[in-house]
């Protein structure tokens, strides 16, 4: 009981920030190596997030994304490594230091929002200031501008159960921001929304994250969310980083099959010599970039590949043949899987499918320009 | 008779016969109580010295026992639900013992522990001059012993079902353990606290066996309503019936309070 975090009076609270973009007096980067070892699960990730930077953590279910966030905010203790916020140690198992969750000053927006169902939207947002010792009236005074800022002023008296998904998400964000956190963590912030509201909330969220002066980490398994929200992307698979880089870089040059699949790209592995790539598993592709040698990856957008009934005479330097294996309708396009070698996904219009009378097992010709093939060291 | 519209999952009609018997079995005694009540001189019986004393004592001790249950029972429920400590399973089993123990046996056990010669009671006697057995505070002890498990079990169950993830969210907002408990856990527990409290109060009010064994049956001192009913039955049965009506009214009141305010909303929440 002695380890109780107390009523929060001891925590040095910065002056409540004025919503509207004024940053806290000082901002710190979040850095460290997050190691969590559990039975049948292991996470070992080095992270360094600058103030104002938004890092998107992308990964499949069970990769350890949520554990990463829980470790950073203090809900899961590290088994090895160290987490720092500026010069302050948040967790260091070797030095036996672990700052309790409620003293870390790290705002979290949880996937299911976790709003307090028993109080109003206003008091949800006022909860943080109130926990740090403010009176009810003073806490509400801090909360109001955040409600205004996130467009929640009209909903202040509602209970969380009366909110739509998008509104609840904004309340969760306002609640976290009203604590004037040093860093912000978001766990699948858009996963609980339906497709139509998602688009709108996503761009709103991007604007709010831009206004936040501290380091931000957004965990998601959706590539678009990560690309829209984050400046930099870290891909985690099986508890380890498999790729990281600027969002655009990752989108153009995926390093693993998982990322390529998320982005809907064809990813082929091969060996390059002087502009020619011998694809693992068969096939030869011509690429425009002759400077890359050795083991390479080739990324091809499915709509950069053309489908033909007969051998094409065009100028495309890559021409090969294959068998149709799958036909899947995606929105207004049709994705055709053609078994090569090399085997690729091709996007065509539904009109083209009708014209070609495509069916499973048909023999087709494929063509792609060398300049459409992104080749890079794998 | 049309069978149309009767869902296949509804029971066959024959089941209605034992069901009605069960309902009559439970309901007729209540009806009997109401029919045989001395309505004409009810006022006189109820305002008699013995009745008023017993009623007052019952209300005071049952309220005190419920308060004791809240003060020490809720913390125990919290520990049982959320803390890791050796012997937790044993502690949980111990809490349920008073529920299944015959109250008379509970009374004897209380005597052996808290009586004048009891393993703990003798020190109360020698160091603080406090005697529990055969005193009004002893009534509270007996009632709390029997009734507190209702509160502990209700609250512990609710705590275990309660979504701890909301409490985690509160921690990330700067709330310490006590703040979380006070401002998040307790409000979410409110339905269970009310339900458990009402059950505890009702059980304490009706307590007979442990009370008469541990605290005796001294009119005006330890004679609660149920004891007065028992005594009345030997002397003046109409008085016993009249006093029973009070207990019935309080019990039904508790039931109504539970059903309409909390049981239903609590179940659907």
């Amino acid at each position: 009981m002695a380890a109780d975090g107390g009523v929060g009076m001891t925590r040095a609270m910065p002056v409540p920030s004025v919503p509207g973009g004024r940053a806290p007096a000082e901002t710190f980067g979040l850095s460290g190596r997050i190691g969590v070892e559990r039975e049948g699960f292991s996470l070992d990730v080095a992270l360094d997030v600058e103030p104002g930077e938004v890092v998107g953590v992308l990964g499949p279910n069970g990769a350890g994304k949520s554990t990463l966030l829980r470790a950073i905010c203090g809900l899961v203790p590290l088994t090895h490594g160290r987490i720092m916020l500026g010069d302050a140690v948040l967790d260091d198992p070797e030095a036996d230091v672990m700052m309790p969750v409620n003293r870390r000053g790290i705002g979290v927006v949880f996937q299911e929002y976790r709003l307090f169902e028993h109080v109003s939207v206003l008091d949800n947002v006022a909860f943080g200031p109130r926990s740090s010792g403010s009176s009810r009236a003073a806490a509400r005074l801090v909360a109001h501008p955040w409600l205004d800022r996130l467009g929640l002023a009209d909903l202040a008296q509602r209970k969380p159960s009366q909110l739509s998904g998008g509104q609840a998400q904004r309340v969760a964000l306002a609640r976290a921001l009203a604590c004037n956190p040093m860093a912000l963590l978001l766990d699948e912030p858009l996963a609980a929304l339906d497709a139509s509201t998602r688009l709108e909330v996503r761009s709103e969220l991007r604007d709010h994250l831009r206004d936040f002066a501290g380091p931000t980490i957004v965990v998601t398994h959706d590539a678009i969310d990560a690309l829209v929200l984050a400046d930099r992307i870290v891909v985690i698979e099986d508890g380890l980083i498999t790729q990281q880089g600027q969002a655009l870089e990752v989108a153009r040059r995926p390093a693993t099959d998982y990322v390529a699949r998320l982005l809907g790209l064809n990813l082929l592995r091969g060996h390059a010599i002087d502009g020619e790539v011998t694809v693992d598993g068969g096939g030869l592709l011509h690429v425009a970039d002759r400077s890359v040698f050795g083991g390479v990856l080739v990324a091809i957008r499915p709509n950069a590949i053309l489908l033909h009934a007969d051998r094409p005479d065009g100028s495309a330097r890559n021409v090969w043949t294959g068998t149709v294996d799958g036909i899947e309708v995606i929105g207004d396009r049709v994705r055709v899987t053609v078994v090569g070698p090399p085997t690729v996904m091709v996007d065509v219009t539904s009109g083209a499918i009708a014209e070609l009378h495509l069916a499973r097992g048909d023999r087709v010709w494929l063509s792609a320009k060398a300049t459409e093939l992104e080749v890079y060291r794998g | 008779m049309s069978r149309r519209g009767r869902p296949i999952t509804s029971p066959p009609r024959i089941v209605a016969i034992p069901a009605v018997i069960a309902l009559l079995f439970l309901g007729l005694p209540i009806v009997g109580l109401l029919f045989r009540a001395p309505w004409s001189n009810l006022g006189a019986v109820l305002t008699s010295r013995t009745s008023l004393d017993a009623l007052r004592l019952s209300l005071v001790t049952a309220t005190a026992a419920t308060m004791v249950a809240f003060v020490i029972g809720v913390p125990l429920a919290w520990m049982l639900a959320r803390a890791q400590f050796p012997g937790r399973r044993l502690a949980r089993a111990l809490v349920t013992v008073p529920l299944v123990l015959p109250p008379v046996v509970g009374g004897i056990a209380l005597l052996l522990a808290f009586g004048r010669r009891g393993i703990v009671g003798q020190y109360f006697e020698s160091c603080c001059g406090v005697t529990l057995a055969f005193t009004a505070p002893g009534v509270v002890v007996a009632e709390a012993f029997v009734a507190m498990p209702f509160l502990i079990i209700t609250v512990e169950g609710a705590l275990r079902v309660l979504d701890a993830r909301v409490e985690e969210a509160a921690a990330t907002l700067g709330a310490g353990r006590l703040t979380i408990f006070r401002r998040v856990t307790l409000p979410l527990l409110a339905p269970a606290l009310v339900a458990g409290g009402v059950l505890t109060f009702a059980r304490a009010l009706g307590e007979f066996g442990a009370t008469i064994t541990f605290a005796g049956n001294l009119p005006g001192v330890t004679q609660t309503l149920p004891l007065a009913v028992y005594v009345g039955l030997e002397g003046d049965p109409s008085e016993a019936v009249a006093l029973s009506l009070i207990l019935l009214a309080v019990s039904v009141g508790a039931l109504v309070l539970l059903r309409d305010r909390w049981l239903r909303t609590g179940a659907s929440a």
Side-chain angles (χ1 to χ4, degrees):
Chain A
M1 290 293 120
D4 180 32
V7 196
M9 298 292 289
T10 52
R11 178 173 155 212
M13 268 303 281
V15 183
S17 77
V18 179
R22 193 165 69 97
E26 268 186 293
T27 55
F28 300 101
L30 188 67
S31 62
R33 184 171 155 219
I34 294 108
V36 178
E37 212 61 57
R38 269 202 310 264
E39 205 173 308
F41 174 83
S42 146
L43 177 75
D44 192 349
V45 165
L47 268 186
D48 190 349
V49 189
E50 298 292 317
E53 187 185 23
V54 180
V55 166
V57 174
L58 197 57
N61 286 332
K65 304 183 303 277
S66 291
T67 306
L68 177 77
L69 285 200
R70 291 174 66 79
I72 294 172
C73 71
L75 290 169
V76 166
L78 290 191
T79 48
H80 58 274
R82 190 159 76 139
I83 309 175
M84 310 274 296
L85 187 67
D87 291 333
V89 179
L90 298 187
D91 196 346
D92 185 348
E94 240 166 74
D96 198 22
V97 176
M98 182 169 174
M99 195 187 280
V101 188
N102 56 318
R103 303 243 182 105
R104 293 199 181 187
I106 294 182
V108 186
V109 175
F110 292 95
Q111 181 175 356
E112 338 74 51
Y113 312 138
R114 307 191 185 182
L115 300 178
F116 306 124
E117 299 290 338
H118 61 289
V119 295
S120 65
V121 165
L122 174 64
D123 285 333
N124 263 277
V125 179
F127 187 94
R130 185 112 165 79
S131 295
S132 64
S134 301
S135 69
R136 175 182 298 223
R140 285 182 173 171
L141 224 51
V142 175
H144 269 299
W146 287 107
L147 293 177
D148 291 340
R149 174 127 176 243
L150 287 158
L152 296 164
D154 295 341
L155 308 173
Q157 298 312 322
R158 294 237 187 130
K159 286 283 173 67
S161 57
Q162 299 167 305
L163 300 176
S164 70
Q167 290 165 343
Q169 203 261 1
R170 275 182 286 157
V171 174
L173 183 63
R175 185 177 69 168
L177 289 172
C179 295
N180 203 16
M182 307 295 287
L184 195 57
L185 312 178
L186 298 97
D187 191 2
E188 302 276 5
L190 304 167
L193 303 175
D194 54 65
S196 57
T197 47
R198 196 167 177 150
L199 199 68
E200 192 188 325
V201 175
R202 186 192 287 140
S203 67
E204 274 176 16
L205 183 61
R206 184 193 54 197
D207 296 341
H208 293 308
L209 294 187
R210 277 210 183 129
D211 292 341
F212 181 67
T216 304
I217 298 177
V218 183
V219 152
T220 176
H221 67 271
D222 184 289
I224 308 295
D225 290 351
L227 292 175
V228 170
L229 297 175
D231 307 311
R232 190 153 61 87
I233 286 179
V234 173
V235 182
I236 297 182
E237 292 172 63
D238 283 332
L240 298 171
I241 293 180
T242 51
Q243 184 176 12
Q244 56 180 321
Q246 298 303 308
L248 273 177
E249 179 69 14
V250 172
R252 226 158 50 101
R253 299 183 156 187
T256 68
D257 291 334
Y258 163 73
V259 181
R261 206 163 44 239
L262 267 190
L263 296 163
L265 290 179
N266 290 298
L267 185 66
L268 302 169
R269 245 166 264 278
H271 194 84
I273 299 173
D274 200 23
E276 289 190 352
V277 177
T278 313
V279 179
D280 295 357
L284 185 76
L285 292 172
H286 299 273
V287 295
D289 185 352
R290 292 165 173 270
S291 65
V292 194
F293 280 83
V296 294
L297 293 169
V298 179
I300 318 170
R301 282 178 292 111
N303 62 2
I305 305 172
L306 299 179
L307 209 58
H308 316 268
D310 305 304
R311 188 186 177 93
D313 331 310
S315 60
R317 295 188 56 207
N318 293 299
V319 175
W320 73 103
T321 175
T323 313
V324 174
D325 188 50
I327 301 176
E328 185 192 356
V329 179
I330 304 172
D332 58 346
R333 297 163 298 131
V334 178
R335 176 158 294 179
V336 185
T337 306
V338 182
V339 178
T343 298
V344 289
M345 301 176 297
V346 184
D347 279 2
V348 296
T349 61
S350 39
I353 288 286
E355 202 176 311
L356 290 165
H357 292 295
L358 270 191
R360 194 153 182 243
D362 285 358
R363 196 91 186 141
V364 289
W365 286 87
L366 300 157
S367 70
K369 292 180 180 168
T371 50
E372 297 278 11
L373 275 53
E374 184 75 28
V375 62
Y376 47 97
R377 300 287 309 197
Chain B
M1 283 299 235
S2 162
R3 285 173 178 271
R4 288 167 48 83
R6 273 201 344 126
I8 190 68
T9 49
S10 68
R13 291 185 200 282
I14 190 83
V15 175
I17 296 168
V20 166
I21 292 175
L23 200 59
L24 289 175
F25 175 65
L26 293 175
L28 280 178
I30 309 290
V31 174
L33 201 60
L34 293 173
F35 260 99
R36 290 297 173 86
W39 296 107
S40 51
N41 62 343
L42 196 62
V45 176
L46 292 184
T47 51
S48 77
R49 181 67 198 238
T50 336
S51 307
L52 280 181
D53 277 352
L55 177 61
R56 186 183 47 77
L57 185 71
S58 273
L59 290 177
V60 169
T61 53
T63 306
T66 308
M67 279 164 60
V68 167
F70 270 101
V71 172
I72 62 176
V74 171
L76 178 56
W78 191 12
M79 294 283 288
L80 287 178
R82 293 287 177 77
Q84 299 290 335
F85 59 90
R88 185 165 74 146
R89 297 175 61 148
L90 185 70
R92 191 174 283 142
L94 210 59
V95 167
T96 56
V97 168
L99 287 181
V100 290
L101 198 69
V104 182
V105 179
I108 292 171
L110 283 171
L111 271 179
L112 296 178
F114 302 116
R116 302 187 75 157
R117 299 269 164 76
I119 48 175
V120 181
Q122 55 181 311
Y123 300 111
F124 284 171
E125 181 94 19
S126 59
C127 83
C128 333
V130 175
T131 316
L132 288 177
F134 305 108
T135 63
V139 176
V140 177
V141 168
E143 290 178 349
F145 178 79
V146 173
M148 188 161 68
F150 285 91
L151 183 67
I152 296 175
I153 286 170
T154 312
V155 172
E156 194 215 334
L159 265 170
R160 290 216 267 170
V161 177
L162 192 101
D163 192 352
R165 294 178 305 177
V166 182
E167 295 169 284
E168 286 182 352
T172 68
L173 296 167
R177 284 191 171 89
L178 273 178
T179 312
I180 294 172
F181 189 71
R182 198 163 46 83
R183 299 200 33 228
V184 178
T185 317
L186 274 186
L188 293 174
L189 277 185
L193 289 172
V194 172
V198 170
L199 281 175
T200 302
F201 181 79
R203 182 69 188 84
L205 196 71
E207 219 304 302
F208 180 85
T211 309
I212 200 167
T213 316
F214 182 65
N217 185 17
L218 312 168
V221 183
T222 66
Q223 192 183 73
T224 57
L225 264 185
L227 303 188
V229 169
Y230 177 72
V231 171
L233 211 52
E234 293 184 331
D236 178 5
S238 72
E239 188 187 313
V241 175
L243 292 175
S244 299
L245 276 181
I246 300 181
L247 284 171
L248 178 68
V250 175
S251 312
V252 170
L255 200 65
V256 168
L257 192 69
L258 273 179
R259 276 192 75 87
D260 285 359
R261 290 295 307 276
W262 299 104
L263 281 191
R264 212 168 288 163
T265 54
S268 66

